[in-house]
Amino acid sequence: MSNYLPTIGLEIHAELKTRTKMFCDSKNDPDESRSNWNVCPVCMGHPGTLPVINKEAVKHVLKVGVALGGTLADFTEFDRKNYFYPDIPKGYQLSQYQYPLVKGGTLNDVAITRVHLEEDTATSLHEEGDYSLVDFNRAGVPLMELVTEPVIDNAKQAGDFARELQLLLRYLHVSEANMEKGEMRVEANISVSKEKGKFGTKVEVKNLNSFRAVERAIAFEVERQKALLESGEKIIQETRGWDENTQKTFTQRRKEESHDYRYFPDPDLPKLLISKLPEFATEKLKSEMGELPQDKRKRYVEKFGIKSEDVEVLVTNRALGALFEDAAQTLSKELMAVAANYAVSDLMGLLKKKNVDADSAKFAFGGSEFGALIAMIGENKISSRGAKDTLSLMFEQGGNPESIAKEKGLLQKSDAGELKAVVTRIIEANPKVAADFKAGKGAALQFLVGQGMKETKGAGNPAVLRKLFEEALS
Ligand code: ADP
Ligand code: MG
């Protein structure tokens, strides 16, 4: 197939984490399991009710704008996006059209068009049979929409962008952005073209509720469009869905059915002059923001000298990262790398086995206990095998590494006097191997040290054992 260039632009929605909804004081609680519990006349769209802007939600979006390096609006307003559907009881969604809160900015080298604020819709539950139910708990929940420029080249880059946005939203504490829970929802616009700089007809794919679905749907769609063009057919501009079962996209809505939303400024809400409100000043927002993922990556590489794959695990899993960082405070640079390795391999393994999320995990021990264990490795008080076993026990029940290792007999034996008896016994039991070593066979020493480790149940210091064998057989 001749060379087609894919072009992808993303539209990503994220439910914001606020105490109350976007325009009323009903609770914003995504974990509420009772249907239609967090509702009031405003978010139910009753006539005669008036909306009030949630400043916390505005602040969240402005923080995202600052983090992306975008331009914060001076003047901004909310518009009515008119359409009829049971999940939008007012007959319109409050959104932003001409004056989004944020314009421009970049993330992962992808240019951002805009970030605006709107309200989420209710949830429709399509039951078996001939009826649907509507749950208004989600109606009116603050929703951020971020739109990228059509500058993404492939599925992996789109997936990486979405992952990085999720991480940023979590670092800013503005959204949990969990894809599986629908707290973050990705729509991908995809086209292919043979000519650089000339766009093909785009298709929009919805219902992407995992990063894997984002990547697979884009890859599928690129191939589908290429094949159509190769066989002389045209791409139809349409909205397609993603079917997890068949791993294919399918037609949902054609262009001719597209809405005219008749956007116009909502007359019930005040306009906002962001630059006139001190609580929205960029410096104020920055002071509340904390460290961003990108800055943390840089700091980890510079301060701890650890490899970038390990940095990535520690930055994307905040609880694990925090534990590592606490431990690293007391360690030498060399041991910091050891600590990173134990966090990323061993602790991560233990978390995975228990199905615990390393981003939000609560550990049974603290950073100083973890640091103490790593220091024991540095002082040859414990072998790596012993350290792994100690860590596993700490993970299960907490406690101090020194006392756990002592109690379980995992402390490394480096005492020459004690190990000498072991060495003598092994030489007596293996005269042939001892003779081989004396005759110059190096591999024989390996066997003898191995026997020594076995005899001490792994607690013998191999370097000390080696030295003792060499001395005894020289
Ligand atoms: P619409 O008016 O159809 O919603 P927009 O211009 O608002 O289109 O763009 C929506 C999204 O589609 C943006 O993320 C944008 O980057 C992307 N997009 C626009 N044109 C293309 C194209 N030809 N191919 C891929 N993505 C595109
Ligand atoms: Mg659009």
Side-chain angles (χ1 to χ4, degrees):
M1 213 180 278
S2 42
N3 278 339
Y4 287 95
L5 302 162
T7 298
I8 300 140
L10 299 175
E11 293 169 281
I12 304 184
H13 286 92
E15 281 175 7
L16 299 178
K17 203 159 57 171
T18 52
R19 194 177 59 79
T20 56
K21 292 188 181 180
M22 187 61 230
F23 298 109
C24 63
D25 65 0
S26 290
K27 238 172 110 187
N28 171 12
D29 180 6
D31 296 323
E32 178 55 68
S33 56
R34 293 163 291 189
S35 294
N36 293 307
W37 192 259
N38 292 319
V39 296
C40 76
V42 176
C43 57
M44 296 288 287
H46 290 191
T49 57
L50 287 172
V52 176
I53 296 172
N54 182 338
K55 281 191 187 171
E56 196 189 0
V58 174
K59 205 169 200 181
H60 282 355
V61 174
L62 291 174
K63 282 181 181 171
V64 172
V66 171
L68 298 172
T71 306
L72 307 191
D74 188 4
F75 171 90
T76 187
E77 65 185 1
F78 288 91
D79 296 283
R80 291 186 180 182
K81 179 180 179 178
N82 299 280
Y83 67 97
F84 174 78
Y85 200 71
D87 69 8
I88 195 86
K90 295 192 294 293
Y92 57 86
Q93 178 189 31
L94 284 168
S95 181
Q96 297 192 289
Y97 190 55
Q98 245 201 311
Y99 300 99
L101 275 168
V102 178
K103 280 187 186 162
T106 52
L107 184 69
N108 266 20
D109 293 324
V110 172
I112 312 292
T113 312
R114 56 187 275 152
V115 189
H116 72 250
L117 187 52
E118 56 191 31
E119 56 180 337
D120 209 346
T121 58
T123 323
S124 306
L125 305 155
H126 303 294
E127 298 291 311
E128 284 289 325
D130 57 359
Y131 68 97
S132 291
L133 298 173
V134 186
D135 178 359
F136 289 89
N137 282 342
R138 203 185 66 178
V141 162
L143 195 63
M144 179 198 100
E145 179 174 354
L146 177 149
V147 182
T148 78
E149 290 289 296
V151 290
I152 298 170
D153 301 326
N154 58 61
K156 170 76 169 40
Q157 199 192 349
D160 285 346
F161 177 88
R163 273 184 282 268
E164 188 65 17
L165 180 65
Q166 179 190 63
L167 187 66
L168 179 67
L169 297 175
R170 289 179 174 176
Y171 265 68
L172 290 171
H173 303 291
V174 303
S175 175
E176 286 303 315
N178 195 319
M179 294 271 280
E180 284 72 21
K181 285 192 188 168
E183 292 162 346
M184 178 162 138
R185 313 195 274 268
V186 176
E187 289 157 32
N189 298 272
I190 304 145
S191 66
V192 301
S193 156
K194 271 188 178 171
E195 275 177 75
K196 222 181 154 87
K198 202 172 164 219
F199 288 148
T201 303
K202 79 171 153 87
V203 163
E204 183 175 354
V205 182
K206 288 186 190 277
N207 315 346
L208 301 172
N209 46 26
S210 70
F211 294 113
R212 205 179 59 172
V214 170
E215 292 179 356
R216 290 195 175 167
I218 292 172
F220 174 86
E221 191 56 27
V222 167
E223 290 311 312
R224 187 187 71 88
Q225 293 183 19
K226 279 188 197 173
L228 276 176
L229 293 176
E230 273 304 285
S231 62
E233 289 181 64
K234 278 214 170 94
I235 308 294
I236 301 166
Q237 184 170 342
E238 61 180 349
T239 302
R240 297 176 72 88
W242 170 245
D243 186 335
E244 270 299 336
N245 293 322
T246 59
Q247 297 279 301
K248 285 180 177 158
T249 63
F250 61 92
T251 297
Q252 273 188 332
R253 176 146 51 82
R254 291 267 153 98
K255 182 71 180 169
E256 335 38 294
E257 301 161 42
S258 89
H259 306 275
D260 173 4
Y261 294 118
R262 291 165 47 249
Y263 281 100
F264 68 89
D266 186 275
D268 294 336
L269 287 165
K271 315 290 174 195
L272 290 177
L273 297 171
I274 299 293
S275 61
K276 293 265 187 313
L277 298 165
E279 60 195 298
F280 296 149
T282 303
E283 284 317 309
K284 173 93 173 90
L285 297 169
K286 273 189 179 157
S287 72
E288 293 172 9
M289 273 164 53
E291 191 176 29
L292 298 180
Q294 208 39 37
D295 300 325
K296 194 176 207 173
R297 286 188 181 100
K298 232 174 98 200
R299 187 167 63 83
Y300 271 32
V301 169
E302 280 165 11
K303 185 167 172 194
F304 302 123
I306 46 185
K307 57 177 191 270
S308 62
E309 302 101 274
D310 287 359
V311 168
E312 212 43 44
V313 175
L314 296 169
V315 170
T316 51
N317 295 288
R318 284 170 298 173
L320 189 67
L323 185 80
F324 159 76
E325 214 171 300
D326 281 352
Q329 302 304 340
T330 58
L331 298 170
S332 68
K333 193 136 185 175
E334 198 184 329
L335 287 178
M336 282 177 188
V338 177
N341 196 40
Y342 272 80
V344 170
S345 317
D346 301 283
L347 268 178
M348 198 65 181
L350 290 165
L351 289 164
K352 276 196 181 138
K353 219 157 80 192
K354 281 256 153 116
N355 229 337
V356 177
D357 181 5
D359 188 47
S360 55
K362 296 221 181 341
F363 292 97
F365 57 96
S368 58
E369 282 77 28
F370 183 42
L373 176 68
I374 304 301
M376 285 168 67
I377 302 171
E379 290 159 10
N380 274 323
K381 282 192 188 157
I382 197 161
S383 68
S384 58
R385 178 70 262 152
K388 285 178 204 305
D389 292 346
T390 305
L391 188 61
S392 166
L393 289 163
M394 286 162 70
F395 183 79
E396 291 296 336
Q397 63 199 25
N400 171 291
E402 189 108 32
S403 31
I404 291 178
K406 198 172 211 170
E407 186 194 327
K408 300 285 172 186
L410 295 168
L411 284 175
Q412 185 151 272
K413 294 194 175 76
S414 299
D415 179 47
E418 200 179 326
L419 290 178
K420 209 155 191 168
V422 175
V423 166
T424 310
R425 238 178 300 142
I426 289 169
I427 291 174
E428 272 168 15
N430 298 279
K432 170 100 178 48
V433 189
D436 282 351
F437 177 64
K438 270 192 166 171
K441 237 173 115 181
L445 180 60
Q446 214 33 58
F447 174 82
L448 293 170
V449 172
Q451 291 302 107
M453 294 301 288
K454 201 166 154 191
E455 176 108 11
T456 57
K457 297 196 180 72
N461 181 336
V464 176
L465 281 169
R466 177 176 286 267
K467 203 163 135 255
L468 291 173
F469 277 116
E470 279 172 342
E471 278 169 14
L473 297 171
S474 64

